[in-house]
Amino acid sequence: MIVHHLASENSIIHKFINELRDQSIQKDAQRFRRNIERIGEILAYEISKTLDFSAKSLETPLATYHGKSIADAIVICSVLRAGLPLHNGLLNYFDDAENTFISAFRHQTNTENDFEIVVEYLASPSLEGKTLILADPMLATGQSMVAVLKALKAMGKPKKIHIASVIGATEGVEFIKKHFPEDTTLWIAAIDENLNEKGYIVPGLGDAGDLAFGSK
Ligand code: URA
């Protein structure tokens, strides 16, 4: 797996990551969603550099212009509910993309903080031969991502898989490296060292779904 860790370089992405983590700013849910969306837009731009392009000619008011356009058939798949703002950001740039939605939640199996991932809902076009972008802002243990990959098998074999994420734990990144096809590319804004006993990324930002959509 190729891993692009965007915060390892200086760029505007640090401003958006800082605002997502900062308790005094993240309370503004609209700003929180917009910051995730902005990171989605940056990830889309980076991913776009790796896509296939074909020649495209069009007429300007003055002459024929010979340019190019994206040749890949893109499907953006987000994991409900925290994936929605990231999905929006990707869709702002890949505005012709098809869309897949899937639910995955942690079901605690005993009192020891053991849990299994339950996938309940899937709405997806065929993925056969397409470029699949999996959007999940928090790559904690990586188990949801792997459960999603398993559930999507029935929809056909994508030509290429990209994973778009905001914050990952080292453990989660290592887990998905083991379970995804080798030519998968991970695009992630920040990677944190730790996971706590409840499976939260530390320092992380808290619960992305609650911060984006939770009630006060
Ligand atoms: N999901 C979240 O929203 N936050 C984490 O830290 C881990 C998983």
Side-chain angles (χ1 to χ4, degrees):
M1 179 177 290
I2 303 162
V3 178
H4 292 275
H5 176 197
L6 278 74
S8 64
E9 292 177 356
N10 287 341
S11 82
I12 186 68
I13 206 163
H14 285 278
K15 173 182 164 60
F16 307 142
I17 297 167
N18 291 347
E19 290 197 6
L20 287 171
R21 291 186 194 271
D22 188 332
Q23 275 193 81
S24 64
I25 299 174
Q26 63 175 203
K27 286 194 188 96
D28 177 348
Q30 188 175 18
R31 188 163 187 88
F32 186 84
R33 290 192 298 272
R34 181 64 190 125
N35 279 326
I36 293 200
E37 195 176 314
R38 293 202 275 195
I39 290 177
E41 288 166 358
I42 292 172
L43 297 176
Y45 176 71
E46 293 297 329
I47 291 170
S48 76
K49 296 179 195 169
T50 71
L51 299 178
D52 289 332
F53 283 75
S54 56
K56 179 174 172 74
S57 299
L58 53 85
E59 299 303 319
T60 79
L62 302 174
T64 302
Y65 168 73
H66 301 286
K68 42 184 174 174
S69 68
I70 293 172
D72 291 68
I74 298 171
V75 181
I76 303 168
C77 169
S78 64
V79 185
L80 300 171
R81 66 192 156 154
L84 291 176
L86 191 60
H87 193 125
N88 261 352
L90 292 158
L91 199 55
N92 286 348
Y93 280 18
F94 298 129
D95 51 10
D96 298 326
E98 292 181 281
N99 299 279
T100 293
F101 296 97
I102 188 163
S103 73
F105 66 91
R106 295 171 176 186
H107 173 68
Q108 194 157 334
T109 50
N110 60 33
T111 49
E112 307 262 292
N113 284 324
D114 263 357
F115 55 83
E116 61 181 6
I117 306 293
V118 182
V119 170
E120 260 187 358
Y121 173 80
L122 170 63
S124 180
S126 164
L127 301 177
E128 190 65 41
K130 298 178 183 168
T131 297
L132 175 63
I133 305 175
L134 293 173
D136 191 356
M138 306 302 283
L139 204 56
T141 62
Q143 290 186 39
S144 309
M145 222 9 128
V146 172
V148 164
L149 180 70
K150 225 185 251 174
L152 290 179
K153 280 241 158 81
M155 305 315 300
K157 190 174 182 324
K159 175 176 100 170
K160 168 89 185 163
I161 302 175
H162 297 274
I163 300 171
S165 189
V166 176
I167 303 180
T170 310
E171 185 181 320
V173 172
E174 290 308 312
F175 188 77
I176 62 161
K177 273 189 195 169
K178 276 192 214 129
H179 290 85
F180 271 74
E182 235 174 75
D183 66 345
T184 301
T185 306
L186 170 65
W187 304 85
I188 191 158
I191 300 178
D192 290 0
E193 283 293 301
N194 298 311
L195 269 184
N196 71 12
E197 67 289 349
K198 290 196 167 135
Y200 279 89
I201 300 169
V202 181
L205 52 75
D207 189 306
D210 280 353
L211 288 161
F213 301 113
S215 49
K216 296 226 163 71

